[in-house]
Amino acid sequence: DLSQVRLSGALTPMFSLSPLELEAIQLSLKVSLWAVAISLPFGIAVAWVLARCEFPGKSLFDALIHVPLVVPPVVIGYLLLVLLGRKGAIGGWLYDSFGITVAFSWQGAAVAAAVMAFPLMVRAIRLSIEAIDTRLEQAARTLGAGPIDVFFSITLPLTGSGIVVGVILAFARALGEFGATITFVSAIPGETTTLPVALYGLAQVPGQEGSAIRLVILSIVIAFAAMFVSEVIARRVRRRISGT
């Protein structure tokens, strides 16, 4: 059928990815996965502190954790550049002592994405910890379990669904991070050109609408898949915990 042949020919270039687009997808996935891996241990620890501990300045600490949600991402990117750049307080020490450069590298992109996604992860895990009946933890303590044993045997398993949701939310947020990334690590081809950065670059070039649309569609598909998977896994974890 001639119409089917024409339709197939029109769709082929539409969904045929260029090396630049494939590179942007692979880099975005790598940066997002590393961002989640970097932030997860700290996210669990901070969530537990906010959910279970009372101390002077807790409200200030809570506000500080959530700052990336309320300030422009460019501000976070600039602060990271000031701290972790080669002449920064931390970045200068890393470069002089170990020869490590964080700014303008894919590792820096992972750090920026982790910082921006961190509040979402903490909030999801914190709500899950707060939903746990503290009497279960107290019962374990009366039976002789120490604080660490209670955390790993009671608190952490019961927080499973919240951890899964936090991880997926952080992954999706890291995948779409643009402002902090381009400010902290710029747009270096093959090094820091993630999906949003690549999309921004294509939008500035006339005649690249097809490539830009493909990246938009791919971004939506990946984000939707991440949210769908998180819901499925969270339900399974809740069923396992409840025994149903």
Side-chain angles (χ1 to χ4, degrees):
D1 187 289
L2 183 59
S3 62
Q4 291 181 344
V5 172
R6 290 176 177 174
L7 179 61
S8 175
L11 291 176
T12 299
M14 179 66 184
F15 292 98
S16 178
L17 300 177
S18 68
L20 175 63
E21 294 163 357
L22 287 172
E23 186 178 77
I25 294 170
Q26 294 171 353
L27 182 60
S28 289
L29 292 175
K30 179 170 71 170
V31 165
S32 300
L33 290 172
W34 272 102
V36 171
I38 291 170
S39 57
L40 182 57
F42 300 100
I44 294 174
V46 170
W48 182 85
V49 168
L50 291 174
R52 289 289 186 261
C53 299
E54 294 294 335
F55 53 90
K58 179 180 177 180
S59 298
L60 180 61
F61 178 64
D62 191 11
L64 182 63
I65 294 297
H66 290 85
V67 161
L69 290 180
V70 295
V71 302
V74 174
V75 173
I76 301 298
Y78 183 75
L79 290 176
L80 289 174
L81 189 61
V82 170
L83 291 174
L84 298 177
R86 283 193 178 183
K87 296 182 179 180
I90 300 174
W93 174 76
L94 288 174
Y95 181 72
D96 295 336
S97 302
F98 306 102
I100 297 175
T101 301
V102 180
F104 306 106
S105 66
W106 74 264
Q107 293 90 342
V111 171
V115 171
M116 296 303 300
F118 191 70
L120 294 176
M121 176 184 289
V122 169
R123 184 164 182 79
I125 299 174
R126 177 185 179 180
L127 291 175
S128 186
I129 293 175
E130 290 177 340
I132 298 173
D133 190 345
T134 56
R135 291 175 297 182
L136 296 173
E137 297 172 330
Q138 293 170 0
R141 293 293 300 273
T142 59
L143 293 174
I148 296 178
D149 293 331
V150 171
F151 176 78
F152 283 103
S153 62
I154 304 294
T155 309
L156 194 60
L158 293 177
T159 315
S161 60
I163 293 175
V164 171
V165 172
V167 164
I168 300 300
L169 285 175
F171 175 81
R173 180 65 183 86
L175 193 67
E177 172 50 38
F178 171 74
T181 300
I182 200 168
T183 305
F184 182 43
V185 298
S186 188
I188 304 173
E191 183 69 23
T192 64
T193 308
T194 57
L195 267 174
V197 176
L199 178 58
Y200 175 78
L202 290 172
Q204 310 304 309
V205 180
Q208 294 296 323
E209 291 81 4
S211 297
I213 291 174
R214 284 195 295 269
L215 290 185
V216 168
I217 294 173
L218 284 169
S219 299
I220 294 173
V221 168
I222 293 173
F224 178 81
M227 299 303 294
F228 177 78
V229 170
S230 72
E231 182 62 25
V232 171
I233 296 177
R235 287 183 180 180
R236 290 184 178 180
V237 172
R238 285 194 294 265
R239 287 175 182 173
R240 181 174 298 179
I241 293 173
S242 62
T244 59

